[in-house]
Amino acid sequence: MSSILEANRTELLEQVVRQTIREELKNVQLSAKTEKPESDVHLTDLPDSLVHALEDL
């Protein structure tokens, strides 16, 4: 039973992370249209919550 709950929790976490990444990429694309383009995206450009979520995976 606990393995089923853990699998469900992992799946939900993955969905949240994917949605957050999609939203952040859209925000970056929108801001890139209004600002001068940068050549690289740095880890410091990402929100802390996203970085911590990726570390948990």
Side-chain angles (χ1 to χ4, degrees):
M1 182 67 170
S2 64
S3 62
I4 293 171
L5 293 174
E6 182 66 28
N8 189 30
R9 182 176 155 263
T10 301
E11 184 178 330
L12 290 174
L13 177 61
E14 184 177 341
Q15 288 175 354
V16 168
V17 170
R18 287 178 186 269
Q19 182 64 33
T20 303
I21 291 172
R22 274 190 221 108
E23 290 171 1
E24 288 301 319
L25 287 175
K26 285 179 186 177
N27 290 339
V28 168
Q29 289 173 352
L30 290 175
S31 66
K33 291 179 182 179
T34 59
E35 298 175 3
K36 68 175 192 168
E38 292 185 28
S39 59
D40 294 326
V41 174
H42 301 283
L43 189 59
T44 56
D45 296 336
L46 298 174
D48 289 338
S49 58
L50 178 58
V51 173
H52 293 302
L54 293 173
E55 287 175 353
D56 288 342
L57 293 177

Coordinates of all heavy atoms in Angstrom, one line a residue:
M1 N 0.8 -1.2 0.0 CA 0.0 0.0 0.0 C 0.9 1.3 0.0 O 0.6 2.2 -0.7 CB -0.9 0.0 1.2 CG -1.9 1.1 1.3 SD -3.1 1.0 0.0 CE -4.2 2.3 0.5
S2 N 1.9 1.3 0.8 CA 2.8 2.4 0.9 C 3.5 2.7 -0.4 O 3.8 3.8 -0.8 CB 3.7 2.3 2.1 OG 4.6 1.3 1.9
S3 N 3.8 1.6 -1.1 CA 4.5 1.8 -2.4 C 3.6 2.4 -3.4 O 4.1 3.2 -4.3 CB 5.1 0.5 -2.9 OG 4.1 -0.4 -3.1
I4 N 2.3 2.1 -3.4 CA 1.4 2.8 -4.3 C 1.3 4.2 -4.0 O 1.2 5.1 -4.9 CB 0.0 2.1 -4.2 CG1 0.1 0.6 -4.7 CG2 -1.1 2.8 -4.9 CD1 -1.1 -0.2 -4.4
L5 N 1.2 4.6 -2.7 CA 1.1 6.0 -2.3 C 2.4 6.7 -2.7 O 2.3 7.9 -3.1 CB 0.8 6.1 -0.8 CG -0.5 5.6 -0.3 CD1 -0.6 5.6 1.2 CD2 -1.6 6.4 -0.9
E6 N 3.5 6.1 -2.5 CA 4.8 6.7 -2.8 C 4.8 7.0 -4.4 O 5.3 8.0 -4.8 CB 5.9 5.9 -2.4 CG 7.3 6.5 -2.7 CD 7.6 7.7 -1.9 OE1 7.0 7.9 -0.8 OE2 8.3 8.6 -2.4
A7 N 4.4 6.0 -5.1 CA 4.4 6.2 -6.6 C 3.5 7.3 -7.0 O 3.8 8.1 -7.9 CB 4.0 4.9 -7.3
N8 N 2.3 7.4 -6.4 CA 1.4 8.5 -6.7 C 2.0 9.8 -6.3 O 1.8 10.8 -7.0 CB 0.1 8.2 -5.9 CG -1.0 9.2 -6.4 OD1 -1.1 9.6 -7.5 ND2 -1.9 9.5 -5.5
R9 N 2.6 9.9 -5.2 CA 3.2 11.1 -4.7 C 4.3 11.6 -5.7 O 4.4 12.7 -6.0 CB 3.8 10.9 -3.3 CG 4.4 12.1 -2.7 CD 4.9 11.9 -1.3 NE 5.9 12.8 -1.0 CZ 7.2 12.5 -1.0 NH1 7.7 11.3 -1.4 NH2 8.1 13.4 -0.7
T10 N 5.1 10.6 -6.1 CA 6.2 10.9 -7.1 C 5.6 11.4 -8.4 O 6.2 12.4 -9.0 CB 7.1 9.6 -7.3 OG1 7.6 9.2 -6.0 CG2 8.2 9.9 -8.3
E11 N 4.6 10.8 -8.8 CA 3.9 11.2 -10.1 C 3.4 12.6 -10.0 O 3.6 13.5 -10.9 CB 2.8 10.2 -10.5 CG 2.2 10.6 -11.8 CD 1.1 9.5 -12.2 OE1 1.2 8.4 -11.8 OE2 0.2 9.9 -12.9
L12 N 2.7 12.9 -8.9 CA 2.2 14.3 -8.7 C 3.3 15.3 -8.6 O 3.2 16.4 -9.2 CB 1.4 14.3 -7.4 CG 0.0 13.6 -7.4 CD1 -0.6 13.5 -6.1 CD2 -0.9 14.2 -8.5
L13 N 4.4 15.0 -7.9 CA 5.5 15.9 -7.8 C 6.1 16.1 -9.2 O 6.4 17.3 -9.5 CB 6.6 15.3 -6.9 CG 7.9 16.1 -6.7 CD1 7.6 17.5 -6.2 CD2 8.9 15.4 -5.9
E14 N 6.2 15.1 -10.0 CA 6.8 15.3 -11.3 C 5.9 16.2 -12.2 O 6.4 17.0 -12.9 CB 6.9 13.9 -12.0 CG 7.5 14.0 -13.4 CD 7.7 12.6 -14.0 OE1 7.7 11.6 -13.3 OE2 7.9 12.6 -15.3
Q15 N 4.6 16.0 -12.0 CA 3.6 16.9 -12.8 C 3.8 18.3 -12.4 O 3.8 19.2 -13.2 CB 2.2 16.4 -12.6 CG 1.8 15.1 -13.2 CD 0.4 14.6 -12.9 OE1 -0.2 15.2 -12.0 NE2 0.0 13.6 -13.5
V16 N 4.0 18.6 -11.1 CA 4.1 19.9 -10.6 C 5.4 20.5 -11.1 O 5.4 21.7 -11.6 CB 4.1 20.0 -9.0 CG1 4.5 21.3 -8.5 CG2 2.7 19.6 -8.5
V17 N 6.5 19.8 -11.1 CA 7.8 20.2 -11.6 C 7.7 20.5 -13.1 O 8.2 21.6 -13.5 CB 8.9 19.2 -11.3 CG1 10.2 19.6 -12.0 CG2 9.1 19.2 -9.8
R18 N 7.1 19.6 -13.8 CA 7.0 19.9 -15.3 C 6.1 21.1 -15.6 O 6.5 21.9 -16.5 CB 6.3 18.7 -16.0 CG 7.2 17.5 -16.1 CD 6.5 16.3 -16.7 NE 7.3 15.1 -16.7 CZ 8.1 14.8 -17.7 NH1 8.2 15.5 -18.7 NH2 8.8 13.7 -17.6
Q19 N 5.0 21.3 -14.9 CA 4.2 22.5 -15.1 C 5.0 23.8 -14.7 O 4.9 24.8 -15.4 CB 2.9 22.4 -14.2 CG 2.0 23.6 -14.4 CD 1.4 23.7 -15.8 OE1 1.2 22.7 -16.5 NE2 1.2 24.9 -16.2
T20 N 5.7 23.7 -13.6 CA 6.5 24.9 -13.2 C 7.6 25.2 -14.2 O 7.8 26.4 -14.6 CB 7.2 24.6 -11.8 OG1 6.2 24.3 -10.9 CG2 8.0 25.8 -11.4
I21 N 8.2 24.2 -14.8 CA 9.2 24.4 -15.8 C 8.6 25.0 -17.0 O 9.2 26.0 -17.6 CB 10.0 23.1 -16.1 CG1 10.9 22.7 -14.9 CG2 10.8 23.3 -17.4 CD1 11.5 21.3 -15.1
R22 N 7.5 24.5 -17.5 CA 6.8 25.1 -18.6 C 6.4 26.5 -18.4 O 6.7 27.4 -19.3 CB 5.4 24.3 -18.9 CG 5.6 23.1 -19.7 CD 4.2 22.5 -20.1 NE 4.3 21.1 -20.0 CZ 3.7 20.3 -19.1 NH1 2.9 20.9 -18.2 NH2 3.9 19.0 -19.1
E23 N 5.9 26.9 -17.2 CA 5.6 28.3 -17.0 C 6.8 29.2 -17.0 O 6.8 30.3 -17.5 CB 4.8 28.4 -15.6 CG 3.5 27.8 -15.7 CD 2.8 27.7 -14.3 OE1 3.4 28.1 -13.3 OE2 1.7 27.2 -14.2
E24 N 7.9 28.7 -16.4 CA 9.1 29.5 -16.3 C 9.7 29.7 -17.7 O 10.2 30.7 -18.1 CB 10.1 28.8 -15.4 CG 9.8 29.0 -13.9 CD 9.6 30.4 -13.5 OE1 10.5 31.3 -13.9 OE2 8.7 30.7 -12.7
L25 N 9.6 28.6 -18.5 CA 10.1 28.8 -19.9 C 9.3 29.8 -20.7 O 9.8 30.5 -21.5 CB 10.1 27.4 -20.6 CG 11.2 26.4 -20.2 CD1 11.0 25.1 -20.8 CD2 12.6 27.0 -20.5
K26 N 8.0 29.8 -20.5 CA 7.1 30.8 -21.2 C 7.5 32.2 -20.7 O 7.6 33.1 -21.5 CB 5.7 30.5 -20.9 CG 5.1 29.3 -21.6 CD 3.6 29.1 -21.2 CE 3.1 27.8 -21.9 NZ 1.7 27.6 -21.5
N27 N 7.7 32.3 -19.4 CA 8.1 33.6 -18.9 C 9.5 34.1 -19.5 O 9.6 35.3 -19.8 CB 8.2 33.6 -17.4 CG 6.8 33.5 -16.7 OD1 5.8 33.8 -17.3 ND2 6.8 33.0 -15.5
V28 N 10.4 33.2 -19.6 CA 11.7 33.5 -20.1 C 11.6 33.9 -21.6 O 12.2 34.9 -22.0 CB 12.7 32.3 -19.9 CG1 14.0 32.5 -20.8 CG2 13.0 32.1 -18.5
Q29 N 10.7 33.2 -22.3 CA 10.5 33.4 -23.7 C 9.9 34.8 -23.9 O 10.2 35.6 -24.8 CB 9.7 32.4 -24.4 CG 10.5 31.1 -24.6 CD 9.6 29.9 -25.1 OE1 8.4 30.1 -25.2 NE2 10.2 28.8 -25.4
L30 N 8.9 35.1 -23.1 CA 8.2 36.4 -23.2 C 9.2 37.5 -22.8 O 9.2 38.6 -23.5 CB 7.0 36.4 -22.2 CG 5.8 35.5 -22.7 CD1 4.7 35.6 -21.6 CD2 5.3 36.0 -24.0
S31 N 10.0 37.4 -21.8 CA 10.9 38.4 -21.4 C 12.0 38.6 -22.4 O 12.6 39.6 -22.6 CB 11.4 38.2 -20.0 OG 12.2 37.0 -20.0
A32 N 12.4 37.5 -23.1 CA 13.4 37.5 -24.1 C 13.0 38.4 -25.3 O 13.8 39.0 -25.9 CB 13.8 36.1 -24.5
K33 N 11.7 38.4 -25.6 CA 11.2 39.2 -26.7 C 11.3 40.7 -26.4 O 11.4 41.5 -27.3 CB 9.7 38.8 -27.0 CG 9.6 37.4 -27.6 CD 8.2 37.1 -27.9 CE 8.0 35.7 -28.4 NZ 6.6 35.3 -28.7
T34 N 11.2 41.1 -25.1 CA 11.2 42.5 -24.7 C 12.6 42.9 -24.3 O 12.9 44.1 -24.3 CB 10.2 42.7 -23.6 OG1 10.6 41.9 -22.4 CG2 8.8 42.4 -24.0
E35 N 13.5 42.0 -24.0 CA 14.8 42.4 -23.5 C 15.9 41.9 -24.6 O 15.6 41.1 -25.4 CB 15.2 41.8 -22.2 CG 14.3 42.2 -21.1 CD 14.5 41.5 -19.8 OE1 15.5 40.6 -19.7 OE2 13.8 41.7 -18.8
K36 N 17.1 42.4 -24.4 CA 18.1 41.9 -25.3 C 18.4 40.5 -25.0 O 18.4 40.1 -23.8 CB 19.4 42.8 -25.2 CG 20.1 42.7 -23.9 CD 21.4 43.4 -23.9 CE 22.2 43.0 -22.7 NZ 23.6 43.5 -22.8
P37 N 18.6 39.7 -26.0 CA 18.9 38.2 -25.7 C 20.2 38.0 -25.0 O 21.2 38.6 -25.3 CB 18.9 37.6 -27.1 CG 19.1 38.7 -28.1 CD 18.7 40.0 -27.4
E38 N 20.2 37.0 -24.1 CA 21.4 36.6 -23.4 C 21.8 35.2 -24.0 O 21.0 34.4 -24.5 CB 21.1 36.4 -21.9 CG 20.9 37.7 -21.2 CD 20.7 37.5 -19.7 OE1 21.3 36.6 -19.2 OE2 20.0 38.3 -19.1
S39 N 23.0 35.0 -24.0 CA 23.5 33.7 -24.6 C 23.3 32.5 -23.8 O 23.2 31.4 -24.3 CB 25.0 33.9 -25.0 OG 25.8 34.1 -23.8
D40 N 23.3 32.7 -22.4 CA 23.2 31.5 -21.6 C 22.2 31.8 -20.5 O 21.9 32.9 -20.1 CB 24.6 31.2 -20.9 CG 25.6 30.8 -21.8 OD1 25.3 30.1 -22.8 OD2 26.8 31.1 -21.6
V41 N 21.6 30.7 -20.0 CA 20.7 30.7 -18.9 C 21.5 30.1 -17.7 O 22.0 29.0 -17.8 CB 19.4 30.0 -19.1 CG1 18.5 29.9 -17.8 CG2 18.6 30.6 -20.2
H42 N 21.5 30.9 -16.6 CA 22.3 30.4 -15.5 C 21.4 29.9 -14.4 O 20.2 30.2 -14.3 CB 23.1 31.6 -14.9 CG 24.1 32.2 -15.9 ND1 25.3 31.6 -16.2 CD2 24.0 33.3 -16.6 CE1 25.9 32.3 -17.1 NE2 25.1 33.3 -17.4
L43 N 21.9 29.0 -13.5 CA 21.2 28.4 -12.5 C 20.6 29.5 -11.6 O 19.5 29.3 -11.0 CB 22.1 27.5 -11.7 CG 21.4 26.6 -10.6 CD1 20.3 25.7 -11.3 CD2 22.4 25.7 -9.9
T44 N 21.3 30.6 -11.4 CA 20.8 31.7 -10.6 C 19.6 32.4 -11.2 O 18.8 33.1 -10.5 CB 21.9 32.7 -10.3 OG1 22.4 33.2 -11.6 CG2 23.0 32.2 -9.5
D45 N 19.3 32.1 -12.5 CA 18.1 32.7 -13.1 C 16.8 32.0 -12.8 O 15.7 32.5 -13.0 CB 18.3 32.7 -14.7 CG 19.4 33.6 -15.2 OD1 19.8 34.5 -14.4 OD2 19.9 33.3 -16.2
L46 N 17.0 30.8 -12.3 CA 15.8 29.9 -11.9 C 15.4 30.2 -10.5 O 16.2 30.5 -9.6 CB 16.1 28.5 -12.0 CG 16.6 28.0 -13.4 CD1 17.0 26.5 -13.4 CD2 15.4 28.1 -14.4
P47 N 14.0 30.2 -10.3 CA 13.6 30.4 -8.9 C 14.1 29.3 -8.0 O 14.3 28.1 -8.4 CB 12.0 30.3 -9.0 CG 11.7 30.1 -10.4 CD 13.0 29.9 -11.2
D48 N 14.3 29.7 -6.7 CA 14.8 28.7 -5.7 C 13.9 27.5 -5.6 O 14.4 26.4 -5.4 CB 15.0 29.4 -4.4 CG 16.2 30.3 -4.4 OD1 17.1 30.2 -5.2 OD2 16.2 31.2 -3.5
S49 N 12.6 27.7 -5.6 CA 11.7 26.6 -5.5 C 11.8 25.6 -6.6 O 11.7 24.4 -6.3 CB 10.2 27.1 -5.4 OG 9.9 27.8 -6.6
L50 N 12.1 26.0 -7.8 CA 12.3 25.1 -8.9 C 13.6 24.3 -8.7 O 13.7 23.1 -9.0 CB 12.3 25.9 -10.2 CG 12.6 25.1 -11.5 CD1 11.5 24.0 -11.7 CD2 12.5 26.0 -12.7
V51 N 14.7 25.0 -8.3 CA 15.9 24.3 -8.1 C 15.8 23.3 -7.0 O 16.3 22.2 -7.2 CB 17.0 25.4 -7.7 CG1 18.3 24.7 -7.4 CG2 17.3 26.3 -8.9
H52 N 15.1 23.6 -5.9 CA 14.9 22.6 -4.8 C 14.1 21.4 -5.3 O 14.4 20.3 -4.9 CB 14.3 23.3 -3.6 CG 15.2 24.3 -3.0 ND1 16.5 24.0 -2.5 CD2 15.0 25.6 -2.7 CE1 17.0 25.1 -2.0 NE2 16.2 26.1 -2.1
A53 N 13.1 21.7 -6.1 CA 12.3 20.6 -6.6 C 13.1 19.7 -7.5 O 12.9 18.5 -7.5 CB 11.1 21.2 -7.4
L54 N 13.9 20.3 -8.3 CA 14.8 19.4 -9.2 C 15.8 18.6 -8.4 O 16.1 17.5 -8.8 CB 15.5 20.3 -10.2 CG 14.6 21.0 -11.3 CD1 15.4 22.0 -12.1 CD2 14.0 20.0 -12.2
E55 N 16.3 19.2 -7.3 CA 17.2 18.4 -6.5 C 16.5 17.2 -5.8 O 17.1 16.2 -5.6 CB 17.7 19.3 -5.4 CG 18.7 20.4 -5.8 CD 19.2 21.3 -4.8 OE1 18.6 21.3 -3.6 OE2 20.1 22.1 -5.0
D56 N 15.2 17.4 -5.5 CA 14.5 16.3 -4.9 C 14.2 15.1 -5.9 O 14.1 14.0 -5.4 CB 13.1 16.8 -4.4 CG 13.3 17.7 -3.2 OD1 14.3 17.6 -2.5 OD2 12.3 18.4 -2.9
L57 N 14.2 15.4 -7.1 CA 14.1 14.3 -8.1 C 15.3 13.5 -8.2 O 15.5 12.4 -8.3 CB 13.7 14.9 -9.5 CG 12.4 15.5 -9.6 CD1 12.2 16.1 -11.0 CD2 11.2 14.5 -9.3

